[in-house]
Amino acid sequence: MKLFHTENGKEVVYVQMQDIMHLNQSDLPIPASIYTKVFTGVTIVDDSNRFDFVRFDEEYEVSFFRDLEFVIDYDKYKDLTDEQLEEEGKKLAVKANEIAEKWNNMSEEERKKY
């Protein structure tokens, strides 16, 4: 989950450790400042800290996380009813299945390209 705020006239984002770990396991290039803020020494994420948030305040860091669709933006969902949340979940499941189907139908060459 990610939370965007304005603090002292500057936009910042707080991102949960579990999402940062998913990002780290992806093939996406991670800005060096994000990597060094989180992964200093040995970083272990478990049930005791996976919901902890890390603050990012550089403009390019905020922009990087704003563009990541797979990290849930709290503000987008916080005011929804249970029924609306369920409907959003269904929409996301359909979208994920469509992406998976496209991926599965690609050749090795196309997969490398995308």
Side-chain angles (χ1 to χ4, degrees), residues 6 9 17 41 43 46 53 64 66 72 76 85 96 111-112:
T6 301
M17 285 296 295
T43 302
D46 59 21
F53 285 88
F64 175 78
R66 185 170 302 288
I72 293 174
K76 184 175 178 182
L85 278 173
R111 288 181 182 181
K112 288 179 183 176

Side-chain angles (χ1 to χ4, degrees), residues 21-50:
M21 293 307 291
H22 285 296
L23 176 62
N24 187 46
Q25 294 173 356
S26 75
D27 291 335
L28 292 173
I30 303 170
S33 63
I34 292 171
Y35 196 84
T36 58
K37 283 181 183 177
V38 178
F39 302 105
T40 54
V42 176
T43 302
I44 297 173
V45 177
D46 59 21
D47 286 343
S48 70
N49 65 352
R50 68 187 183 116

Side-chain angles (χ1 to χ4, degrees), residues 98-106 110-112 114:
E98 289 171 353
I99 292 169
E101 186 175 334
K102 284 180 185 177
W103 178 262
N104 291 335
N105 289 327
M106 286 183 185
E110 290 174 314
R111 288 181 182 181
K112 288 179 183 176
Y114 294 104

